[in-house]
Amino acid sequence: MQKLVLMRHGESVWNKENRFTGWTDVDLSPAGYEQAKKAGELLKKNGYNFDVGFTSVLKRSIKTLHIVLEELDHLWIPVQKSWRLNERFYGALQGLNKQETIAKYGIMQVQKWRRDPNEDPPPITKDDERYPGFDPRYKNLTERELPLTENLSETMNRALPFWNEFIVPAIRKNEKVIICAHGNSLRALIKYIDNLNDEDVTKLEIPTAAPLVYELDDDLNRIRHYYL
């Protein structure tokens, strides 16, 4: 049996302000820093240690993992960062207040944008300052890989190759793995691991900085999962 720990980053500044964040690189809020510290303390209390970590290229995720590993005295382990674990790209919704967006478009439409695996938020254009092609961290991505908008299925399509190429081999080598990512990139992985249908995914809530433990068999099928 293998154990895998998944964790969403701590509360960000825009989580606190109830904004759509996506690939916008906002920092943790003070509460988010404290949440990450408590998550590390909880993992330490329960005897967890790790051989390798995986995270996105966004600071709220990177810092959360750093704080957790600091609590475990594991800052020395290798950590691999990838844009493929980034939050879903919310297009023109990025930066907008969710309640104001509901008031403008209606709750049903906003819920579709947020949770329907095949519903695209309104796209940005390539001259928009939010276009990731302007960001040096994405300079090696192809034009096709640079999103203008993204639904959950597309998030899953970019996350799963990273899962199969890097995370699965680490687990198969009996390495203890922690993944610190985002609500929707984690939804994509959980949908795959748990073989969830679209309706189940729309109901899936992932709290900030709460370690989610998966126990997997030798074929990496889920035995059970639980929050610490």
Side-chain angles (χ1 to χ4, degrees), residues 99-125:
Q99 283 303 122
E100 292 173 0
T101 307
I102 288 171
K104 183 174 181 179
Y105 295 102
I107 190 167
M108 294 297 291
Q109 180 59 64
V110 173
Q111 281 298 96
K112 281 186 177 181
W113 284 333
R114 293 187 66 190
R115 295 299 173 83
D116 189 321
N118 301 301
E119 186 81 11
D120 290 330
I124 59 169
T125 57

Side-chain angles (χ1 to χ4, degrees), residues 7-9 35 186 205-211 227:
M7 194 170 69
R8 186 182 173 194
H9 60 79
Q35 288 173 354
L186 290 176
E205 295 286 348
I206 303 175
T208 51
Y227 284 100

Side-chain angles (χ1 to χ4, degrees), residues 9-13 15-16 27-33 35 64 208-209:
H9 60 79
E11 181 192 69
S12 74
V13 174
N15 289 147
K16 185 178 180 180
D27 207 342
L28 294 173
S29 69
Y33 279 95
Q35 288 173 354
T64 298
T208 51

Side-chain angles (χ1 to χ4, degrees), residues 18 23 53 57-58 64 73 81 91 98 104 122 127 133 197 227:
N18 201 28
W23 286 24
V57 296
L58 299 170
T64 298
D73 197 22
K81 305 178 185 74
K98 292 175 184 176
K104 183 174 181 179
D127 60 353
N197 60 37
Y227 284 100

Side-chain angles (χ1 to χ4, degrees), residues 59-82:
K59 70 177 72 171
R60 58 192 185 273
S61 178
I62 295 168
K63 287 187 176 183
T64 298
L65 182 57
H66 183 99
I67 294 166
V68 165
L69 294 179
E70 188 169 32
E71 288 299 316
L72 294 169
D73 197 22
H74 271 44
L75 285 175
W76 53 271
I77 71 167
V79 173
Q80 186 166 350
K81 305 178 185 74
S82 175

Side-chain angles (χ1 to χ4, degrees), residues 20-25 58 60 83 85-94 113 119-126 128-133 135 138 145-152 154-156 158 182 184-185:
F20 290 98
T21 310
W23 286 24
T24 309
D25 198 18
L58 299 170
R60 58 192 185 273
W83 68 276
L85 294 178
N86 275 14
E87 177 57 290
R88 174 181 164 197
F89 190 84
Y90 269 109
L93 298 182
Q94 291 184 174
W113 284 333
E119 186 81 11
D120 290 330
I124 59 169
T125 57
K126 291 183 181 177
D128 192 302
E129 63 180 6
R130 295 169 292 184
Y131 178 56
D135 192 318
Y138 307 118
E145 290 171 329
L146 294 167
L148 301 176
T149 185
E150 194 175 47
N151 60 44
L152 182 59
E154 290 166 332
T155 306
M156 187 171 179
R158 64 164 158 87
H182 305 263
N184 282 297
S185 53

Side-chain angles (χ1 to χ4, degrees), residues 1-4 48 171 174-176 213-224 226:
M1 184 190 72
Q2 298 288 340
K3 284 187 178 181
L4 167 71
Y48 281 80
I171 297 171
N174 293 318
E175 293 184 336
K176 301 179 184 70
V213 180
Y214 270 80
E215 295 181 359
L216 307 172
D217 66 19
D218 291 341
D219 294 320
L220 305 190
N221 296 311
R222 186 202 69 192
I223 300 170
R224 63 177 183 143
Y226 48 90

